[in-house]
Amino acid sequence: MSLPSAAPSAGLRSPGLKLAGTIGAVILVLDQLTKWVALDQLLDPPRLIEAAPFLNFVLGFNTGVSFGLLENDSVYGPWLLSGAALLVVAILVVWAARSDSRAEAASFGAIAGGAIGNIVDRLRQGAVTDFIDLHAFGWHWPTFNVADIGITGGVGLLLLSGLWPRKTSG
């Protein structure tokens, strides 16, 4: 006769948490890989690569949050922003574990993966590596990276998923 094993917690078996973790990991790996390539190709010597009439690759370093908001040069800045981002990631993990919506879980994963990608940069080099420069008619969007795409796309998907009606069980 065997003793019943302790059941894993519901959060560890959560399909939402598994989906969020997978998407978060993909965003994190793509972000760090593309930043490594950007640093390798754009830093020494500093240069700009014109990839399309509306797209350049040019290296930038952001000490603030997304798109240069809240920039500061304080020695504590990277630690404070990283701590705040880690708190958001922890909340997203709990939310994903409790979610029954695949769209929400995917959103949480994309946001968390992007946040962790930018945290890695802040703690490693004191600033986030940005390199994607979209422009049109002389106007340039603030330079960004794959982590920012994950965060922005995740927030957009989360907002859209709030508009979809939920199926309720009978």
Side-chain angles (χ1 to χ4, degrees):
M1 180 171 123
S2 64
L3 295 172
S5 62
S9 73
L12 294 177
R13 294 182 297 164
S14 165
L17 188 57
K18 188 178 273 190
L19 177 61
T22 301
I23 289 175
V26 168
I27 295 288
L28 175 61
V29 168
L30 285 175
D31 176 63
Q32 291 299 299
L33 180 63
T34 56
K35 287 175 180 173
W36 176 76
V37 169
L39 287 167
D40 183 62
Q41 297 297 311
L42 301 172
L43 184 60
D44 193 19
R47 65 186 182 147
L48 176 142
I49 298 173
E50 295 179 19
F54 56 89
L55 173 66
N56 296 331
F57 295 116
V58 60
L59 202 55
F61 296 96
N62 179 1
T63 58
V65 294
S66 293
F67 307 116
L69 299 173
L70 303 175
E71 282 206 57
N72 75 57
D73 292 325
S74 164
V75 71
Y76 303 110
W79 294 98
L80 292 172
L81 290 174
S82 295
L86 281 174
L87 178 61
V88 168
V89 168
I91 291 167
L92 291 172
V93 167
V94 171
W95 202 350
R98 295 179 179 178
S99 178
D100 59 354
S101 164
R102 293 180 58 80
E104 282 182 0
S107 300
F108 302 144
I111 296 166
I116 292 169
N118 284 340
I119 289 169
V120 168
D121 284 9
R122 274 194 192 92
L123 296 180
R124 189 180 71 228
Q125 63 197 26
V128 174
T129 301
D130 290 326
F131 61 92
I132 302 170
D133 174 33
L134 288 178
H135 57 90
F137 309 109
W139 179 82
H140 287 258
W141 187 259
T143 308
F144 59 98
N145 58 45
V146 172
D148 295 334
I149 294 169
I151 293 166
T152 303
V155 169
L157 181 58
L158 186 60
L159 292 173
L160 285 174
S161 72
L163 299 175
W164 297 328
R166 292 251 179 161
K167 294 178 183 175
T168 56
S169 56

